[in-house]
Amino acid sequence: MTTTVNISPTSSLGVADHTLFVCKTCASVWQDGKRLGESGGQKLLSQLQQLAQDWDLRDEFPIQEVECMSACNRFCVVAFAAKGKLTYLFGDLAVDGSASAILECASQYYVKADGLLPWSERPEALKKGILAKIPPLS
């Protein structure tokens, strides 16, 4: 289940050109098969939504919550994706202190024609924990 948080310009196919995916079940505490309280992913999502209200790209780069991104052992997970660009999957992000770095890195990703995010240019919080760099569809 996914929910788009921001409304954004779309391509001729009705799909947002850029999307920031945020796993809302990451860093959950489970007991007897049920999640207890608010997950770390939900907290990170809330922080991103709050910061994105003042983000220059809030209308061009929607934040989309995702039920699970199958990186459960990697704490908080986000992904940057866009048509014709590399897709990045980052994990092990701290609940507190990562949101501004995520939006900063998303801004860098937005202006790169191919989406390439060199390690040296990424914010400190996103230099570690990269789980995947997926080639664009052609």
Side-chain angles (χ1 to χ4, degrees):
M1 176 181 177
T2 59
T3 303
T4 300
V5 180
N6 297 335
I7 298 175
S8 76
T10 57
S11 69
S12 60
L13 300 176
V15 177
D17 288 335
H18 288 79
T19 303
L20 168 56
F21 294 101
V22 181
C23 179
K24 68 179 190 175
T25 55
C26 286
S28 293
V29 176
W30 298 87
Q31 183 177 341
D32 299 326
K34 295 182 182 180
R35 188 171 53 215
L36 300 177
E38 187 177 38
S39 70
Q42 289 171 311
K43 291 175 187 175
L44 180 59
L45 176 63
S46 294
Q47 292 171 17
L48 285 164
Q49 290 169 331
Q50 184 69 30
L51 282 176
Q53 291 177 19
D54 297 322
W55 186 33
D56 293 343
L57 296 175
R58 70 182 172 273
D59 295 327
E60 290 81 21
F61 209 132
I63 298 169
Q64 185 170 323
E65 64 183 56
V66 179
E67 187 66 32
C68 180
M69 293 174 70
S70 293
C72 300
N73 63 336
R74 300 306 297 260
F75 212 61
C76 289
V77 176
V78 301
F80 304 140
K83 290 180 13 175
K85 292 187 176 186
L86 295 162
T87 294
Y88 280 88
L89 181 66
F90 293 96
D92 296 327
L93 298 169
V95 173
D96 295 319
S98 292
S100 61
I102 291 167
L103 293 183
E104 179 185 342
C105 196
S107 295
Q108 293 172 351
Y109 179 81
Y110 183 81
V111 299
K112 303 277 187 170
D114 58 2
L116 182 63
L117 294 169
W119 180 87
S120 62
E121 296 177 17
R122 293 194 302 252
E124 198 62 38
L126 283 92
K127 286 186 175 181
K128 298 178 184 174
I130 190 164
L131 305 179
K133 182 173 80 171
I134 302 165
L137 293 174
S138 49

